[in-house]
Amino acid sequence: MFIAIVRRSADLTENRRLSAMVQGGGYVVAATGPLVLGAVHDATGGWSVPLLVILGAVGVMAVAGTASAGGRTDDEIEAGPVPVPAGEERRG
């Protein structure tokens, strides 16, 4: 996943922002997952429906990951990241 962030970013600042957003969102989903699956298990009394919820989540992640993997042209990827001059930090 981290290589997708690097390949999609135009420069180091954008790379940092995307990485923070992806990791923050990932930790939120990971923290709420057991609670949601436990509630679904309690509501249904079995493991079939919670496993279907997991399968659905994997499907959503696959579609979102495939859609987010694009975004930069081959020329932009070959050019590499735009360096930030020493002593200068870009904030946006």
Side-chain angles (χ1 to χ4, degrees):
M1 180 57 146
F2 291 112
I3 192 68
I5 295 169
V6 172
R7 288 179 55 107
R8 187 167 174 85
S9 302
D11 60 13
L12 184 59
T13 303
E14 185 178 4
N15 184 342
R16 290 176 184 165
R17 277 193 231 126
L18 281 173
S19 180
M21 180 183 68
V22 168
Q23 289 183 45
Y27 281 120
V28 167
V29 170
T32 59
L35 179 66
V36 170
L37 289 177
V40 172
H41 176 266
D42 287 344
T44 62
W47 285 107
S48 297
V49 176
L51 290 174
L52 288 173
V53 170
I54 292 172
L55 185 61
V58 169
V60 169
M61 288 189 293
V63 170
T66 301
S68 67
R72 291 182 65 200
T73 65
D74 290 337
D75 293 335
E76 290 173 331
I77 293 170
E78 287 177 13
V82 177
V84 176
E88 178 182 323
E89 185 176 340
R90 296 182 189 159
R91 296 189 184 260

